[in-house]
Amino acid sequence: MLINNFLLLGAVLFCIGVYGVIARKNAVMVLMSIELILNSVNINLLAFSMLHGNVDGNTFALYIIAVAAAEVGVGLAMVLLIYRNRKSISLDELSEMKG
Amino acid sequence: MSAVILADDIYVAQNIGFGIIAAVMIIGALKVVTSKNVVHAALALVLVLGGAAAQYLLLAAEFVAVTQVLVYVGAVMVLFLFGVMLTRAKLGQEGDLNNKNAILGVPVALLMLGVMSWVLIDGFEDTRLPQDGDQVSVQALSDSIFKPYLLPFWALSFVLLAAVIGAIVLARKD
Amino acid sequence: MLAHEHEAAGWFLEHAWLIPVIPAVAFAIIIGFGKKLPMKGSEVGIASMLASLVLAVGTTWQWVQRVDAVHGSEGEGALARGVFGFARGLVPRAAEGGEPYVEPVIRSWTWWQSGGIEFGLGQHIDGLAVMLLLLVTFISTLVQVFSLEYVRGDRRYTHFFASLTLFSAGMLAMVLAENTVQLILGWEIMGLCSFMLIGHWWEEQANSRAALKAFFTVRVGDMGLLVGVAILFGAFGTFSIQETSRIAMDPATSQTVLLWASVALFIACIGKSGQFPLHTWLPDAMAGPTPVSSLLHSSTMVVAGVFLVARLYPVFYNGFDIAQNGNSANLIAIIGGITIIIAAGLAFVQNDIKKVLAYSTVSQLGYMMMGLGVGAWTPAVFHIFTHAFFKCCLFLCAGSISHTASHHSFDMKKDMGGLLRRMPITAGAWMVSTLALCGVPFFSGFFSKDEIIDNADHNGYKVFFIVGLIGAFMTTAYMTRATYLTFFGTPRGAAAGEHHDEHGHADVHADAHDAHADVHADAHAGHDVHGAHDDHASHGKPAFGIAGESPILLVFPLIVLGFLAVVSGYINAAPFHIEKFLEWVEPRASEFAPKIDHAVFTWAKAAPSIILVVLGFVISLALCKAVFGEADSKLKGLTQRNRVLGAGHRFLVNKYYLDDLYEKVIVHAVAYPIAQAAYWVNQHVLDGIVNAFGKGGRRTGEWVYKYVDQGAIDGLAVNGSGKAARGTGGALRPLQSGKVNQYGALLFGAAAIGALVLVIVNI
């Protein structure tokens, strides 16, 4: 099997995720798009791990899964907090950082 | 002779499997970023994550695949659904989930895709994955985690601890 | 051992695994295409349950033949040997005890293997599995038929049927699980579906809270299941239920391991079956639609815990030393006994008819647990069987009443009363089921419940014998109260044709979904005495008046279940020496199952419980007449006047303050210190570090300011570049919109362009 199969799949998923991060208004949806990006990275890591015949890629894929779980936990907690404070999780209404 | 044919057969079967799963994943991913219904998007994400687990199997990463199913499809998706429900995002159709500059995402994503595919096709033209790869054993994986990569493992445990505490502090009601 | 003899089993026994697969497939169909189908997917659900029911009946039929063939009984068995040739080759495996052993039909497929460990999916068909397969498919079918009418026009009609179907699939998969992993799988599917079903009308805050509570409480117990299965696997090296049983029966097996495993597994059963400390979710779960309550709380979900104990009985039996003579108590019996009494106590103060039934369910589950705890395996399992019919019937009666007579209220005191004449069929079914529940002789509950009590005495558990008797007394008393309030006396509230916009508290309001069937329209025609209530126009009925009997789709399941509530006990009626159930269901092989000693029935032994039942009825009826009746009586409002009784009443109304304990004390005690600790770390450690850095930074800054800034740079560079920067800043300012998405777009765009540049440069 061509390694490019997997790498291109990863690239496509990554770009779809990037589009989601940019285009979505709902904070939960942005978090979902970030999950897409993280998964595409994992596919790449595992593909290279198999190509080179060592397990480092597997190890880091596991680490990424763990970090993603932490990220979702904190991210959703923040979304909840934001929701509680302003009764909305639309990112368009969050513009405290406006210069 | 027959062994070669057999190998070729497996090769074809793998490619077909890959193609089907990849198509499902891409359609699911598009659904995630375009669906007008938060719950549908979350379910499409389940499809993508499950497909990713299947791809990991093709990549001989059995343990990662199982972890993916347990952690992502199990825990993370439940978190998402709770997040959706607790923030009372309406479960039905929602007016507009995209922001005003959604169109900006298209050129950026396409540009990235272009660059990446160019580099990948250029760099790995027809490099093939080894065919006889056994599934990565859990033992080898644990050797790798607890010997050379122990430090990142520790760091990761702190990250998780911090995330747990942070999530509680953020989400608790005073 | 595995599956080497399955050529000899019949087709249905061989293919029993199809029973859960059919509803699972149906679930996918309903979710996928349900909304487009003419009946919104309900027909798929009912068809799948019917198909499963047919298969289950076939399986039962062949299992009975298999048992009869082994036992060499005449009549049916001989006929079976003649008609189907399959039983001929079956040689009875005589176990050491001399009892012929009916081998379960076990098939297993490897689903997954990793590092030499195989995870299988399969079927383990024995008497227990067959009994529950039949029960679950039967009850599920009836409940789905009932739902057809009950939730007609509901907004999530399709999803409702999808969840019901998947729920049944989960239960069935668990029932015929070949190994513990599959058992967990079915168990968790049920947990998920119960969450969806209880929270079906989640727009109401109370309902979604109840769903979450049920989910999380059961989840607490599920930890025990995982730990218990892990212990068993770690110690025995197998997931197979048969192997586990065999090893557990082996005298050489360490009792400590079994003890820990059974404690862990029993915690799961406490959660799932609503036993004493974790029973609080079950009454709240009444927030779900009534068909859900009747399915979950009669024969499926809550029975899962009891099933787990019954299924892995050797582990519990030897772990807790149930057989040991002179042992007067063990964890299972104690928890079961406590549950019987406290739940029955709570049932007295409920005004919500469904909550009375909920606590009654908890109490009856206590009986089953206690039965298992005192070594009365067969009576306990038989009680699962009989209880399913009459409890399901009672719940559906409550649904029928609220649907037709009390305007979706479940409050007995406010909205019911005097329904006997108006709803004769519902009332009849209710009465019959109540008699069965109370254990009145010749109704089904009598044969199972009395046998549990009898065997508790027989096996030397004197305390639990008395607990069982007290429980029987209390059961009769609270059911008499509920019956009196519902069907006798004067009609009140909605039952009297009044309409009130305020539906009391939220739980009562639970079923007030806004799409009523218009089938009542004819029943209400001519009763348009409440023309002022315009809001009812949207409900499809012009006014709420005095209703007649419920429509046929609601009544039909009631009749069937009411009939079974009477006759289902005769399958194992000890007084008449009919012990078919014992023969067909009880495993009798000393290799795989503990030997179960049976008490011999005599009317003399049954007398105390019969007397107590009668006493309970008489006392409760007298009290009801005095307290709720027409006549003025000193007893009215007694709880308000007498302080001791008032305190007791309040204690019961507040459910022994257990919910407060969980929510206020335990959650607070766990969450608060963690938050405090985090806050402390934040304030002292992190801030300290930040401050230290800040101070260091300021010093550096001061030094730099004094010597470098003022002297050299300020004059030359800054003033010039400042102007430039302000100009650029002004130009870039629109980019700083403060919107995260735009920052993301900039970031990724810049990264892509950067990568492009790098690639081009490199090439």
Side-chain angles (χ1 to χ4, degrees), chain C residues 472-496:
Chain C
F473 172 75
M474 290 170 85
T475 308
T476 317
Y478 69 69
M479 282 315 288
T480 308
R481 170 179 176 271
T483 310
Y484 183 84
L485 280 174
T486 311
F487 291 107
F488 296 93
T490 45
R492 297 171 292 274

Side-chain angles (χ1 to χ4, degrees), chain C residues 173-239:
Chain C
M174 192 198 82
V175 163
L176 48 66
E178 188 267 335
N179 55 52
T180 41
V181 176
Q182 190 183 348
L183 204 137
I184 293 178
L185 184 79
W187 183 283
E188 296 296 346
I189 291 177
M190 262 195 292
L192 175 70
C193 291
S194 69
F195 173 71
M196 296 196 289
L197 288 170
I198 293 168
H200 183 67
W201 291 317
W202 47 261
E203 285 88 349
E204 198 105 18
Q205 184 84 29
N207 296 357
S208 77
R209 273 186 68 88
L212 279 174
K213 184 172 174 181
F215 190 65
F216 286 137
T217 314
V218 173
R219 219 71 190 116
V220 169
D222 287 358
M223 297 292 166
L225 183 64
L226 289 180
V227 171
V229 167
I231 291 176
L232 284 179
F233 180 73
F236 301 168
T238 176
F239 287 118

